[in-house]
Amino acid sequence: MLLATASPSAAAQAAPRQLPSSRTAAVQQPLIGGVRRAQRRAAARLAVVAAAAPPAAAEALQRFSAFDRVSVLSEALPYLQRFRGKTIVIKYGGAAMKDESLKARVVSDLVLLSCVGIQPVMVHGGGPEINTWLNKLGIEAQFKNGLRVTDAATMDVVEMVLGGRVNKSLVSLIQQAGGQAVGLCGKDSDIIRARQMVEKDIGFVGEVTSVDPSLLRTLVSDGYIPVVASVASNGKGQGLNVNADTAAGEIAASLRAEKLILMTDVPGVLRNKDDPSTKYTALTIRNCKELVDEGIIAGGMIPKVDCCIRSLSQGVSATHIIDGRQPHSLLMELLTDEGVGTMITG
Amino acid sequence: MATCAAALATLALPVEALQPRSSFRSRPLAAPRAAPCSRRRGVQVLAGGNGTSPAAPYKQLEAISVDLSAFPACNFFRVEALIRPWRLQKVTEQLNAAGIRGMTVSDVRGAGEQGGRKERYMGTEYGGDAKNFLVEKTRLDVVVARGQVDTVVRLIATSAHTGEIGDGKIFVHPVADVIRIRTGETGAAAERMEGGMQDMTGIKGI
């Protein structure tokens, strides 16, 4: 009755056409409720699809017949089988985080992986977002050797922005795309414990000392997608700002993940840093060390590669540095031979 | 995705780009490692961290030669390697490819802490305090004839190496005799594996 009175127009339309007079409200209720739910769901799906597929991708898709699409899908089978039930840790950041359409596609990739039985864990930072909010609060962002100088006030903002805003917006995006996400920060159940890097004198910046994967294991085995913000606890109530790459690497190590995927703003490890065609598809630890010695791997790539080697030496099977700016880079890397980035193995 | 071999083939670069350059050896970094220089290495103690100590270049591992001169009359040696558990498959593949067909593996736990530097295992730092002291390792025992010791040690060292703290250690012990229980063979006949390294390479163990 309540429902019927709440939407009199729908009831008026449905009732006279189908049932002349004597149908009970009990029958009508689920009908109306069902219609509404379907409408709501359709609207939500439309919104996601619109965000996820910009015009270019839609045109590309139109060139394929239904048979093409199905055969491409069936070709992914061996990859899906290989990674089924395996844990994959994805460090999400950089350009893919700022651009809304990329964001939606990363999220839909993630949900797809989770649907086909792969267990993704997402770890994220959020430097630009933190800067925005520091600005709004009139706190000046300071950096020392590429690391953020984090005093008590900045740490509060970091924790709020990463754990509150960035984390929950990712969670709600995943939920919208039909996944089951749980947003956490390193403090929850002490997933990441860290020690303050006093020697670097940059405030509350932490070095990971231990990772407790038990909560993540529970979530992942029940089909949830954990989304972890790179804020760590020091065991005494103080939050610490931890590099998100490192956090992702250590979480991957603790879960003995099949893969660690770092989403960056570069195509991968390049021989000539200005020419994307000189990208290495696959490297071993040994290759990496030689390339570092030759000066080919330099600058901001060194900490990324170090992070990969560090988790490889702890038993992660493969690590990938991929171009997060490319649409569907996650799926390209996981489900095709060429990949979009550089794979580093032991 | 791609296996290493396939990936090498698809590289946009000449494969020799990946090979260690000859200039590598002449790098100043390599020199102090060859010479005993423990004092300088001692300074590099840092709290935790990754790859803070210089890791041995692979060239050096490939040129290891084991000093067996203390046991001039001993024909057999046991190579005992303590390695990271997830490197075992790689190591055994390499050994098998080289014709080492007899080995024993056991799960062990151990510690090997140098100057407060911590080893990482499962995302967690080990060493320093009593709580996280022993780390899981795998022990690989291989008994080989005298002439094969260097080869085996080099194979294990290069395939177990990651450059991070906790890569492991190799010990070489003298072995008095070998007996194959099924046949009652002793000595060289018992040690030799049909189709093994001696048959493959012609390196006579003794």
Side-chain angles (χ1 to χ4, degrees), chain A residues 294-306:
Chain A
E294 283 181 56
I296 307 267
I297 294 176
M301 193 46 96
I302 290 182
K304 300 249 177 215
V305 170
D306 271 351

Side-chain angles (χ1 to χ4, degrees), chain A residues 195 208-211 250 254 271 277 280 282 286 289-290 293 306 310 313-315 333-334 336 343 346, chain B residues 1-2 7 12-13 18 21 24 27 50 58 62 84 86-87 90 120-125 162-164:
Chain A
R195 149 172 53 72
V208 179
T209 53
S210 71
V211 177
E250 301 303 344
S254 74
R271 173 107 196 141
S277 70
Y280 291 99
R286 178 176 193 167
K289 301 227 152 139
E290 283 158 7
D293 283 332
D306 271 351
R310 179 160 147 169
S313 73
Q314 294 181 65
E333 185 66 20
L334 283 171
T336 64
M343 175 169 81
Chain B
M1 233 72 351
L13 301 158
L18 290 176
R21 292 287 166 87
F24 185 81
R27 287 190 73 84
N50 158 41
Y58 289 83
E62 280 166 357
R84 299 181 192 267
W86 49 91
R87 302 296 282 196
K90 201 177 168 196
R120 301 198 74 95
Y121 174 66
M122 299 277 277
T124 298
E125 285 182 340
T162 70
E164 300 288 299

Side-chain angles (χ1 to χ4, degrees), chain B residues 26-190:
Chain B
S26 61
R27 287 190 73 84
L29 190 88
R33 289 208 44 85
C37 186
S38 53
R39 256 186 52 230
R40 189 178 306 173
R41 240 175 286 165
V43 176
Q44 297 221 339
V45 175
L46 291 174
N50 158 41
T52 46
S53 67
Y58 289 83
K59 284 264 173 199
Q60 192 181 334
L61 293 176
E62 280 166 357
I64 288 172
S65 99
V66 181
D67 181 10
L68 301 176
S69 60
F71 301 93
C74 197
N75 285 332
F76 309 109
F77 289 87
R78 174 165 66 98
V79 178
E80 178 190 18
L82 297 150
I83 57 174
R84 299 181 192 267
W86 49 91
R87 302 296 282 196
L88 179 68
Q89 198 191 345
K90 201 177 168 196
V91 174
T92 49
E93 269 169 21
Q94 294 285 318
L95 289 176
N96 189 28
I100 299 297
R101 301 285 156 76
M103 61 191 76
T104 311
V105 171
S106 40
D107 290 333
V108 293
R109 294 193 303 151
E113 194 196 318
Q114 292 189 69
R117 277 170 293 184
K118 297 197 173 180
E119 167 175 2
R120 301 198 74 95
Y121 174 66
M122 299 277 277
T124 298
E125 285 182 340
Y126 278 75
D129 59 23
K131 205 177 75 191
N132 283 337
F133 188 58
L134 296 177
V135 189
E136 283 170 42
K137 296 281 168 192
T138 290
R139 181 174 66 201
L140 177 72
D141 286 309
V142 188
V143 174
V144 289
R146 190 181 188 97
Q148 298 169 343
V149 172
D150 280 354
T151 321
V152 169
V153 168
R154 287 171 194 169
L155 281 173
I156 295 175
T158 46
S159 50
H161 177 92
T162 70
E164 300 288 299
I165 293 167
D167 269 351
K169 262 193 185 166
I170 300 177
F171 303 105
V172 181
H173 314 266
V175 170
D177 203 355
V178 183
I179 296 115
R180 182 175 278 138
I181 295 172
R182 177 173 56 87
T183 57
E185 290 165 305
T186 59

Side-chain angles (χ1 to χ4, degrees), chain A residues 6-156:
Chain A
S7 61
S9 61
Q13 272 175 8
R17 216 182 298 149
Q18 292 168 358
L19 316 155
S21 61
S22 62
R23 257 296 169 100
T24 60
V27 178
Q28 284 179 10
Q29 263 181 12
L31 176 75
I32 295 164
V35 169
R36 276 177 152 193
R37 228 177 291 134
Q39 276 174 345
R40 212 184 309 141
R41 209 184 303 145
R45 194 180 301 147
L46 261 182
V48 171
V49 168
E59 274 168 33
L61 274 181
Q62 271 170 8
R63 271 184 271 133
F64 298 109
S65 69
F67 180 76
D68 287 338
R69 285 183 219 180
V70 173
S71 28
V72 167
L73 193 62
S74 73
E75 265 182 32
L77 180 65
Y79 296 106
L80 299 182
Q81 283 170 324
R82 196 195 306 170
F83 301 128
R84 189 157 179 216
K86 300 277 171 62
T87 304
I88 291 178
V89 177
I90 295 149
K91 188 266 165 163
Y92 177 57
M97 204 160 190
K98 282 173 250 162
D99 187 321
E100 288 302 318
S101 75
L102 285 176
K103 210 167 168 176
R105 269 184 279 185
V106 169
V107 163
S108 73
D109 289 357
L110 207 68
V111 173
L112 191 149
L113 293 180
S114 145
C115 280
V116 296
I118 298 171
Q119 302 174 334
V121 175
M122 188 186 242
V123 181
H124 66 87
E129 186 85 19
I130 295 170
N131 289 345
T132 313
W133 284 93
L134 284 176
N135 268 342
K136 285 186 190 176
L137 294 168
I139 304 171
E140 200 183 331
Q142 287 175 48
F143 290 88
K144 208 162 158 184
N145 302 328
L147 295 168
R148 182 188 298 279
V149 180
T150 313
D151 55 12
T154 312
M155 189 58 223
D156 279 348

